Amino acid sequence: MAMFGNFLKSIRPHLAQFNRISNQRRWFASSNQSVSKRLPIANFYLTDESKRDTELFVRNFPRVVGELTKTNETGVEDFYDNVKKALEYNVPVGHLMHGLVCIGANKYLRKSSQPMTDYELFQIHMLAWVYEIFRASVNIIDDMVDNGDTRYGNKLSWFKNEDVGMVAAQDSLLLYSSVFSMLREHFSDKPFYFTMLETINKFFWEMNMGQSMDMRFGANFRKTRSLSGFTVEHHNMLGYKKVGYFMYGPIEMGMLMQGLTDPVQFLQAKHISYLLGKFRVDLDDTLDVFGDCGDTGKMATDIAEGKCTWPMVTALQIANNEQIKLLKDNYGRSEPECIQTVKKVFTELRLDDLYREHAKSSYENIVKLIEAPTFKLPPSMFYYGLDIFYKKE
């Protein structure tokens, strides 16, 4: 299989009025052009197939908003207006990857050879929007915990809007509650309904566990200055908890919707999804160091917060004693000079080149697993997800 030329090219679909898609965007690390040229900058690539799916998918979002804000009650109009604003601001934004993965899973697992009916496609889209709303509810809280200013291309984090503030926490809960309203509305008569409810709750628990461990790790390091926790094993676990569920969730929901019951298939899907999630974590970690917030759409905070990240874990494995001391003294501090010192060490260690090799190896490993004769799921389902991330040349 031919690997990527530049390996990873960044694009991000821009949604306007819920129906306009732009198909290319590159993220550049403008703070250091030599680093930028070597780093496999990446975000999400839409193939022609996924672009068509996205356009159809986005057209159904106004229907979702209408369902969730429809009421016969009087005196609550302002409340539902605010719910509408929260939905429209936070949900149909970014790459919509998780919804598209759910759509792809349903498409490739579908057993019928007959063309998909409009109603069947609509149901799949509703399930995909369930997961995107779930994702949005998580991101609102994530931005608040990180005190992040922006998300998705310099768009203000929801809680940073003057008319929102800390009420955003309540909005996050409202969006999370709306997930169950949609499931009840569209799937309460389906045999997989109760399993789907358990799935959402399971992944919400995993997400909270990962986020809590991530934040407490940084706080503990800033207090003790001990480097002992920066291990590959700990970083892998954080990656699986924080992001693995985001990849596996929409796939498992698609498998449930299509009636799959083989435990081996679910285990294989979970394993591949968590590897994809880990790939995503390593990429985000690297962009947090070498990317520019004007391009990534999110403020870089990992160094200042003392997070257990791929660059830091890798650096400690190859740095000399002087470099390790610099990292220990400066990592986890918010002063600009401390952050620059850490970045300088990372650059000296050529972590951008190491990431290139690591990413290529990770990608090839995933391809090898899904192409193995013992793999019991359609490889196309995972290539669909991979192609949303990456352009293969």
Side-chain angles (χ1 to χ4, degrees):
M1 172 180 291
M3 296 306 298
F4 340 129
N6 296 327
F7 186 56
L8 299 177
K9 290 186 177 179
S10 167
I11 70 167
R12 183 176 67 87
H14 298 276
L15 305 180
Q17 306 301 322
F18 309 121
N19 63 8
R20 181 166 56 86
I21 307 297
S22 174
N23 68 349
Q24 287 193 7
R25 180 172 183 256
R26 179 178 286 273
W27 291 7
F28 291 100
S30 59
S31 60
N32 189 324
Q33 289 302 316
S34 63
V35 170
S36 174
K37 292 175 182 177
R38 295 196 306 271
L39 182 68
I41 303 297
N43 188 18
F44 304 96
Y45 177 82
L46 291 182
T47 62
D48 289 340
E49 179 183 14
S50 54
K51 276 189 279 189
R52 288 192 298 270
D53 287 340
T54 304
E55 291 167 357
L56 292 172
F57 181 41
V58 172
R59 289 176 193 171
N60 274 315
F61 185 69
R63 171 76 176 267
V64 172
V65 175
E67 286 185 3
L68 294 174
T69 57
K70 180 177 62 178
T71 180
N72 294 321
E73 294 183 69
T74 58
V76 294
E77 292 81 7
D78 288 346
F79 168 79
Y80 281 103
D81 283 344
N82 288 328
V83 173
K84 182 174 185 289
K85 290 177 183 177
L87 286 166
E88 292 179 345
Y89 192 93
N90 294 287
V91 180
V93 292
H95 42 76
L96 301 179
M97 181 196 66
H98 307 97
L100 292 175
V101 168
C102 182
I103 293 169
N106 276 282
K107 287 172 60 175
Y108 290 109
L109 292 171
R110 188 170 176 267
K111 298 174 182 177
S112 175
S113 59
Q114 298 298 315
M116 191 178 294
T117 66
D118 290 343
Y119 177 72
E120 186 179 0
L121 182 60
F122 172 76
Q123 289 287 88
I124 291 172
H125 283 180
M126 291 301 100
L127 184 61
W129 279 122
V130 162
Y131 211 81
E132 284 294 337
I133 294 172
F134 173 60
R135 171 198 57 79
S137 72
V138 170
N139 285 345
I140 290 173
I141 292 295
D142 184 51
D143 288 339
M144 296 180 73
V145 171
D146 288 343
N147 195 31
D149 291 326
T150 60
R151 183 178 285 271
Y152 300 127
N154 289 330
K155 187 174 185 177
L156 275 179
S157 299
W158 180 236
F159 82 103
K160 288 289 185 177
N161 286 273
E162 290 185 5
D163 59 340
V164 180
M166 293 298 105
V167 176
Q170 188 65 47
D171 292 337
S172 172
L173 293 174
L174 288 171
L175 262 60
Y176 181 66
S177 299
S178 69
V179 162
F180 299 97
S181 296
M182 285 193 65
L183 287 173
R184 182 176 61 251
E185 175 69 22
H186 294 282
F187 306 109
S188 59
D189 61 338
K190 307 298 183 185
F192 56 78
Y193 175 63
F194 288 105
T195 305
M196 197 79 75
L197 296 179
E198 292 176 355
T199 296
I200 290 289
N201 280 318
K202 174 179 63 179
F203 287 118
F204 193 64
W205 169 262
E206 292 285 321
M207 177 276 301
N208 278 296
M209 182 189 297
Q211 292 291 82
S212 178
M213 292 171 62
D214 189 34
M215 297 302 298
R216 291 177 185 276
F217 179 93
N220 184 63
F221 169 71
R222 294 193 300 272
K223 180 180 179 181
T224 65
R225 311 306 299 175
S226 171
L227 298 173
S228 62
F230 289 94
T231 64
V232 172
E233 293 76 17
H234 186 72
H235 182 252
N236 286 346
M237 180 176 62
L238 285 177
Y240 297 151
K241 295 292 185 183
K242 287 176 61 181
V243 179
Y245 80 96
F246 260 148
M247 294 301 301
Y248 180 52
I251 289 177
E252 180 175 344
M253 292 171 75
M255 294 171 72
L256 292 172
M257 190 173 190
Q258 295 304 318
L260 273 68
T261 58
D262 185 348
V264 174
Q265 290 178 310
F266 282 89
L267 286 173
Q268 290 181 338
K270 185 174 184 178
H271 179 57
I272 298 299
S273 299
Y274 276 32
L275 290 178
L276 287 169
K278 177 61 168 55
F279 200 141
R280 168 77 186 277
V281 167
D282 295 348
L283 171 61
D284 285 351
D285 288 352
T286 306
L287 286 175
D288 198 85
V289 174
F290 295 108
D292 181 81
C293 64
D295 296 308
T296 63
K298 192 176 181 183
M299 296 295 293
T301 60
D302 288 351
I303 293 176
E305 293 177 0
K307 297 289 188 69
C308 183
T309 65
W310 185 87
M312 184 60 171
V313 169
T314 305
L316 291 174
Q317 293 177 324
I318 61 176
N320 59 37
N321 290 337
E322 181 182 353
Q323 290 169 324
I324 290 176
K325 186 178 187 307
L326 286 172
L327 292 174
K328 183 176 181 179
D329 292 344
N330 292 278
Y331 198 75
R333 302 190 189 281
S334 59
E335 294 83 355
E337 59 271 20
C338 294
I339 294 173
Q340 288 306 311
T341 297
V342 172
K343 288 187 175 183
K344 182 180 178 182
V345 173
F346 286 170
T347 301
E348 290 173 354
L349 295 172
R350 299 184 68 86
L351 292 185
D352 53 329
D353 286 334
L354 290 178
Y355 173 77
R356 184 197 307 272
E357 297 170 7
H358 168 68
K360 180 179 179 181
S361 175
S362 298
Y363 181 90
E364 290 176 337
N365 181 50
I366 293 172
V367 170
K368 181 180 178 180
L369 289 171
I370 63 179
E371 292 288 355
T374 54
F375 197 65
K376 301 181 69 175
L377 291 164
S380 299
M381 180 173 73
F382 294 94
Y383 280 123
Y384 182 92
L386 281 170
D387 287 343
I388 295 171
F389 270 116
Y390 324 113
K391 179 179 181 180
K392 300 190 294 296
E393 293 183 348

